[in-house]
Amino acid sequence: QDSAALPARLRRAGEFFTATSTMWADYTERFRTGTPNTFSAPGGVDLGSGAILGYSTAWLRLAPHEALVIELAPPSGCYWSVQVYSRWGVLLPAGIAQTSLNNTQAVSDQDGPIRLVAAAEDPGVANWLDTRGHQDALIWLRAAPWDRFPPPATQTVRRDRVRDALPHAVAITDAQRRERLRERDQGMSRRFRR
């Protein structure tokens, strides 16, 4: 090895470390702009995969007694998924809690639209996104094709009034929720614990 090149290599390694440390430290802060509890336009976040997926983010900010209703109108044949992350960008545990939903897991309300409810406690609807008690979090929407995916509509409601705000939501029992969580855990086990 050329020992004369070592100082330049060490300097480049230090510059890389400094740049990536700053990027990850500031990562979530760049998505925490604008109005809380509203989504950016799909495709408005560039993460280098724009040819395949479009991304939309929402800065979730809820009081302990609040929930966020998210209404989606995906076009036919569209893939989409929604995940809840901590304010630091850490994915909340999807195997033991329903912290994510996609187009194959969510159910349409009885009047047609797909409505999700982000809340700390189970509101008794099928499309609950468990925030695991986080009042300040990030929600990511991924969609393909994103150019036909309209921005989600949102509404902040009292957590104890979710069922009043969503009279056509598909209800779920405690036993059904436990079964869904068991299936999620099995799916995560198959995916990550081979």
Side-chain angles (χ1 to χ4, degrees):
Q1 295 287 356
D2 184 2
S3 59
L6 184 60
R9 290 180 179 160
L10 288 173
R11 185 173 50 258
R12 283 196 306 275
E15 290 167 353
F16 175 79
F17 176 79
T18 300
T20 55
S21 298
T22 301
M23 189 273 297
W24 285 112
D26 296 340
Y27 178 73
T28 59
E29 292 305 313
R30 69 182 184 153
F31 304 115
R32 296 164 49 79
T33 59
T35 306
N37 301 336
T38 59
F39 280 84
S40 63
V45 179
D46 181 12
L47 294 178
S49 58
I52 302 169
L53 290 173
Y55 297 88
S56 179
T57 59
W59 165 26
L60 182 70
R61 191 164 199 188
L62 298 173
H65 65 278
E66 291 179 326
L68 184 67
V69 176
I70 304 163
E71 185 169 328
L72 304 175
S76 177
C78 182
Y79 165 80
W80 60 267
S81 66
V82 177
Q83 295 85 27
V84 183
Y85 292 79
S86 74
R87 69 164 294 164
W88 301 281
V90 177
L91 180 63
L92 300 185
I96 62 169
Q98 189 167 283
T99 59
S100 64
L101 287 168
N102 65 33
N103 56 297
T104 66
Q105 298 167 324
V107 296
S108 297
D109 285 357
Q110 295 167 358
D111 61 340
I114 297 171
R115 296 182 184 99
L116 315 175
V117 179
E121 293 181 14
D122 191 342
V125 297
N127 294 337
W128 173 40
L129 288 171
D130 187 350
T131 64
R132 306 298 288 165
H134 290 262
Q135 296 172 9
D136 191 356
L138 294 170
I139 300 181
W140 279 83
L141 164 68
R142 294 169 176 83
W146 65 265
D147 57 337
R148 295 189 296 127
F149 202 106
T154 58
Q155 176 187 8
T156 304
V157 300
R158 286 183 55 90
R159 199 169 62 212
D160 61 358
R161 304 302 301 266
V162 166
R163 298 305 302 274
D164 295 333
L166 301 177
H168 302 289
V170 175
I172 191 169
T173 66
D174 290 343
Q176 289 170 320
R177 181 73 72 202
R178 285 192 298 274
E179 177 60 18
R180 277 190 166 202
L181 293 176
R182 187 188 66 75
E183 290 171 0
R184 290 175 73 87
D185 185 51
Q186 287 179 341
M188 295 296 279
S189 293
R190 285 192 301 270
R191 183 174 178 186
F192 294 113
R193 298 179 216 151
R194 294 180 184 247

